[in-house]
Structures are given as C-alpha cells and as structure tokens.
Amino acid sequence: MKLFVSVDLEGVCGVVDERDTARDGPAARRARDHLRADLDAVLEGCLAAGADEVVVCDAHDDGRNLDPAGLPRRVTLVSGSPAPGSMFEGLGSGCDAALFVGYHARAGTAGAVLEHTWDHRTYEVRVGDLPVGEFGIAALLAGHFAVPAVYLSGDDKVVAEARALVAGIAATVVKTGIRREVAAWHAPEEARTRMRADVEAALRTPRKPAPFVWDGAPLRLTFTRVTYCDLAETCPGVVRLDGRTLEMSGASFADVYRTFLACLRLAGSEG
Ligand SMILES: [Zn+2]
C-alpha cells in the first residue's frame, strides 16, 4: 500500500494566528513543532495500517516547514518550492489513498481558522456551481488518478467542507473555529491520539470513499483584485468572464489544475 499525505499548516493543532504561519519567529517555530507532531501521529496510523510507502508533501508556503530528520523508514518527504504539482507533488496513479493533514477551509468560510484558498489573491474557486477550496481541488486531482481521498485533519469547518464533498471521508477535528484568528483548542495529545486511530481505521476499512471524479465542468477562478486578473489572463487558453474572474477547462482535471496553477503564479508575478 502506497500513500500520499499532503501537509498544510493552518489546520494543525496549536495554530490560530497569521504569526504562526510566518517563516520566522518564536510563534512560527512553535507552529512547526506542532506540525511535525501532527504528521508523526498520522504516519504512525499509516504504518500501523500496513503502509509500504508514504510520500509526504510539505504543502505550506515555500515547502520548507518540515525537517526530514527522524522521519520513519518507508517515508519520503517532498520539500521546497515551486513544486510542479504545488501542494500535491507526489500524488499519482501509483498511490492507493490520499490523506490531508493540517488543512483549512476555503476562502470566505465564516468562523474558519485562517481560511483561504492558496493565497490572499483568491476570492473564490468554483468547479461548475460547486465552490471548492484547497481540499476540493486536491480531491478532484486525486480522482483524476483514481485515488480516493480517505482522511483529513483540521478545524471543524474544513472537516464539514470535506464531508460535504466526499461522502465517508474519515476526519479528525483538532480545533473549533470561532473567528478567523480565534479557536477553541482540543488538547493536542488527545487530538493526536484520535488522529492516529482515525487514520489507521480509515486505511483498514474495506469501505473506502469513492474517488471524487471531475464532471467536466469548467473551473472559475475569481481574484480579490482586478490587477491579479490582468496578470493571469495572459495564460493561454483561459477566458476572462469579468473584471476579476477567469474560466478554464481541459481534457482532464490534471490539465485544468495545471492551468489553475499557472494563473495563480502569473497573478503573483510582477507582470
Ligand atoms: Zn493552505
């Protein structure tokens, strides 16, 4: 059994504030320690369930949040940026299941800790009529490879988001969002005990969720500012729908995702 694990930071135990997600400083260092502890709990669950190989993608910011020192055998860590597949580098058709750790709700979700979709330039992403965030896009990309999304950890809002998209996904709520930078904690040790058990159970059950298969509907990316759309509309194949929105399609969701990443990267460029 080969597993893919994408690890973000905003949905980790102990993270509640933008300062926690910065690259430097005491809050950032403490947050990385929490990140590693959450990941270790998930890896214990993976290995207890019999994983032969686990590919972990360090998916937050510049992808340099995790130290490979001390990782268990059979685990590979993808670090650095920009990875060709961004948050999902290493996900492919050889994987049996995908897991998402430390995830957060999509941009615009009320009461969700540090909600956003990729970065501050994204106002909304829709696939057809369906609003999606980082998890929804991840699940669709996994579906392209016929890989089921079987597990997620984060706050109560991203867990609800994931359950609405993927019936039967296992999940661990590690904190309850109150405001964007206010949360009620669950004791990290207790949350990690549940994470380990939830991951193992999710991998052992014969009734895994079905892969989330794309229905062919175009993806619409709405930016927070017209300027970002001005930069991104130079991406070949996209159609500008209004001041802030681009529409893109493709022969597969992997194609759509590649175009989506290109638009995000152009929007962050100097033009
Ligand atoms: Zn994120």
Side-chain angles (χ1 to χ4, degrees):
M1 177 167 62
K2 178 178 175 180
L3 304 174
F4 172 75
V5 180
S6 176
V7 185
D8 208 350
L9 183 58
E10 288 85 355
V12 159
C13 290
V15 170
V16 69
D17 189 292
E18 291 284 0
R19 285 170 292 187
D20 300 329
T21 66
R23 291 186 186 178
D24 297 304
R29 281 193 290 280
R30 192 181 61 220
R32 266 64 176 185
D33 290 343
H34 280 299
L35 176 75
R36 178 58 187 267
D38 277 18
L39 173 63
D40 283 345
V42 166
L43 291 176
E44 283 171 24
C46 291
L47 297 174
D52 302 298
E53 186 181 353
V54 186
V55 177
V56 177
C57 178
D58 185 337
H60 176 73
D61 191 19
D62 62 355
R64 296 182 67 248
N65 308 285
L66 287 161
D67 184 343
L71 282 175
R73 279 184 291 175
R74 293 181 270 159
V75 174
T76 309
L77 175 65
V78 180
S79 288
S81 73
S86 185
M87 300 181 69
F88 319 121
E89 185 62 35
L91 174 62
S93 49
C95 300
D96 296 292
L99 298 85
F100 302 92
V101 178
Y103 265 54
H104 52 83
R106 63 183 166 82
T109 306
V113 178
L114 298 171
E115 49 70 48
H116 66 280
T117 302
W118 255 267
D119 61 35
H120 66 277
R121 298 182 190 90
T122 305
Y123 178 78
E124 184 181 68
V125 181
R126 282 180 184 262
V127 176
D129 292 330
L130 190 69
V132 290
E134 293 170 19
F135 171 74
I137 291 169
L140 284 163
L141 185 67
H144 166 78
F145 295 114
V147 175
V150 301
Y151 175 81
L152 173 138
S153 71
D155 73 359
D156 58 319
K157 306 305 185 303
V158 71
V159 166
E161 182 179 318
R163 287 187 169 140
L165 294 175
V166 176
I169 189 170
T172 312
V173 174
V174 306
K175 55 195 169 191
T176 301
I178 296 171
R179 290 285 185 264
R180 188 168 193 279
E181 294 183 288
V182 184
W185 299 115
H186 304 278
E189 292 70 24
E190 191 256 315
R192 287 171 191 140
T193 300
R194 283 189 284 118
M195 289 169 83
R196 185 191 184 289
D198 290 344
V199 167
E200 185 176 351
L203 294 170
R204 283 192 184 279
T205 178
R207 291 172 300 153
K208 299 209 175 32
F212 187 23
V213 176
W214 182 49
D215 63 3
L219 183 150
R220 281 194 204 101
L221 166 57
T222 303
F223 291 102
T224 50
R225 296 179 60 186
V226 169
T227 309
Y228 303 137
C229 206
D230 292 344
L231 291 163
E233 75 161 353
T234 55
C235 182
V238 303
V239 177
R240 189 163 183 168
L241 298 184
D242 59 36
R244 293 188 293 129
T245 304
L246 297 178
E247 184 176 87
M248 57 206 76
S249 202
S252 69
F253 194 77
D255 287 347
V256 175
Y257 177 61
R258 201 175 301 117
T259 305
F260 170 73
L261 286 183
C263 290
L264 291 181
R265 286 167 178 168
L266 283 165
S269 70
E270 298 294 318

